[in-house]
Tab-separated table of all heavy atoms in Angstrom:
chain	number	residue	atom	x	y	z
A	13	ARG	N	104.893	215.403	221.941
A	13	ARG	CA	105.840	214.298	221.680
A	13	ARG	C	106.137	213.564	222.982
A	13	ARG	O	105.585	212.509	223.244
A	13	ARG	CB	107.109	214.845	221.014
A	13	ARG	CG	107.919	213.773	220.314
A	13	ARG	CD	108.832	212.971	221.228
A	13	ARG	NE	109.864	213.772	221.856
A	13	ARG	CZ	110.616	213.333	222.864
A	13	ARG	NH1	110.439	212.115	223.365
A	13	ARG	NH2	111.520	214.113	223.414
A	14	ASP	N	106.943	214.123	223.870
A	14	ASP	CA	107.281	213.413	225.111
A	14	ASP	C	106.025	213.243	225.966
A	14	ASP	O	105.808	212.201	226.584
A	14	ASP	CB	108.348	214.204	225.892
A	14	ASP	CG	109.263	213.295	226.693
A	14	ASP	OD1	108.790	212.276	227.190
A	14	ASP	OD2	110.460	213.619	226.832
A	73	LEU	N	110.943	214.576	216.057
A	73	LEU	CA	112.060	213.812	216.622
A	73	LEU	C	112.505	212.715	215.653
A	73	LEU	O	111.694	212.132	214.929
A	73	LEU	CB	111.613	213.195	217.956
A	73	LEU	CG	112.695	212.504	218.774
A	73	LEU	CD1	113.730	213.501	219.293
A	73	LEU	CD2	112.083	211.747	219.968
A	97	HIS	N	114.985	217.341	215.147
A	97	HIS	CA	115.617	217.062	216.436
A	97	HIS	C	116.108	215.607	216.415
A	97	HIS	O	115.306	214.682	216.398
A	97	HIS	CB	114.569	217.262	217.539
A	97	HIS	CG	115.055	216.934	218.919
A	97	HIS	ND1	114.214	216.817	219.993
A	97	HIS	CD2	116.294	216.678	219.411
A	97	HIS	CE1	114.895	216.530	221.084
A	97	HIS	NE2	116.161	216.422	220.748
A	99	PHE	N	118.740	212.546	218.034
A	99	PHE	CA	119.345	212.246	219.344
A	99	PHE	C	120.002	210.875	219.371
A	99	PHE	O	119.648	209.986	218.593
A	99	PHE	CB	118.287	212.316	220.448
A	99	PHE	CG	117.328	211.144	220.449
A	99	PHE	CD1	117.478	210.112	221.364
A	99	PHE	CD2	116.289	211.068	219.536
A	99	PHE	CE1	116.605	209.019	221.374
A	99	PHE	CE2	115.417	209.982	219.533
A	99	PHE	CZ	115.559	208.958	220.450
A	139	SER	N	120.439	216.007	220.607
A	139	SER	CA	120.336	215.698	222.045
A	139	SER	C	121.253	214.556	222.422
A	139	SER	O	121.302	213.523	221.728
A	139	SER	CB	118.920	215.231	222.384
A	139	SER	OG	118.060	216.309	222.473
A	141	GLU	N	121.185	211.908	224.723
A	141	GLU	CA	120.253	211.278	225.660
A	141	GLU	C	120.994	210.783	226.903
A	141	GLU	O	122.101	210.270	226.811
A	141	GLU	CB	119.518	210.115	224.984
A	141	GLU	CG	118.350	209.635	225.830
A	141	GLU	CD	117.659	208.391	225.277
A	141	GLU	OE1	118.088	207.863	224.239
A	141	GLU	OE2	116.692	207.946	225.925
A	167	ASN	N	120.964	219.912	223.023
A	167	ASN	CA	120.085	219.662	224.163
A	167	ASN	C	120.753	218.705	225.151
A	167	ASN	O	121.325	217.689	224.760
A	167	ASN	CB	118.775	219.062	223.633
A	167	ASN	CG	117.743	218.903	224.714
A	167	ASN	OD1	117.672	219.725	225.637
A	167	ASN	ND2	116.938	217.857	224.633
A	169	PRO	N	119.721	216.502	228.050
A	169	PRO	CA	118.611	215.966	228.842
A	169	PRO	C	119.074	215.276	230.122
A	169	PRO	O	120.102	214.614	230.148
A	169	PRO	CB	117.969	214.919	227.917
A	169	PRO	CG	118.648	215.039	226.603
A	169	PRO	CD	119.994	215.666	226.859
A	171	THR	N	117.570	212.630	231.329
A	171	THR	CA	116.547	211.701	230.839
A	171	THR	C	115.851	210.931	231.954
A	171	THR	O	114.670	210.623	231.862
A	171	THR	CB	117.214	210.725	229.848
A	171	THR	OG1	117.813	211.523	228.820
A	171	THR	CG2	116.250	209.740	229.247
A	202	HIS	N	116.460	219.510	229.016
A	202	HIS	CA	115.240	218.695	228.931
A	202	HIS	C	115.261	217.793	230.165
A	202	HIS	O	115.984	216.801	230.199
A	202	HIS	CB	115.321	217.887	227.622
A	202	HIS	CG	114.235	216.884	227.417
A	202	HIS	ND1	113.321	216.988	226.392
A	202	HIS	CD2	113.933	215.739	228.057
A	202	HIS	CE1	112.502	215.950	226.416
A	202	HIS	NE2	112.855	215.167	227.426
A	204	HIS	N	113.604	215.476	233.255
A	204	HIS	CA	112.472	214.650	233.707
A	204	HIS	C	112.324	214.774	235.214
A	204	HIS	O	113.224	215.227	235.927
A	204	HIS	CB	112.645	213.211	233.221
A	204	HIS	CG	112.194	213.069	231.791
A	204	HIS	ND1	110.909	212.725	231.463
A	204	HIS	CD2	112.851	213.286	230.627
A	204	HIS	CE1	110.791	212.715	230.135
A	204	HIS	NE2	111.961	213.056	229.598
B	601	KIV	O1	114.294	212.406	227.814
B	601	KIV	C1	115.004	212.428	226.797
B	601	KIV	O2	116.219	212.251	226.835
B	601	KIV	C2	114.331	212.668	225.524
B	601	KIV	C3	115.205	212.897	224.344
B	601	KIV	C4	114.686	212.253	223.133
B	601	KIV	C5	115.425	214.363	224.179
B	601	KIV	O3	113.130	212.766	225.484
Side-chain angles (χ1 to χ4, degrees):
R13 199 278 297 168
D14 211 325
L73 187 67
H97 177 192
F99 74 102
S139 282
E141 192 186 1
N167 186 34
T171 303
H202 174 115
H204 279 269

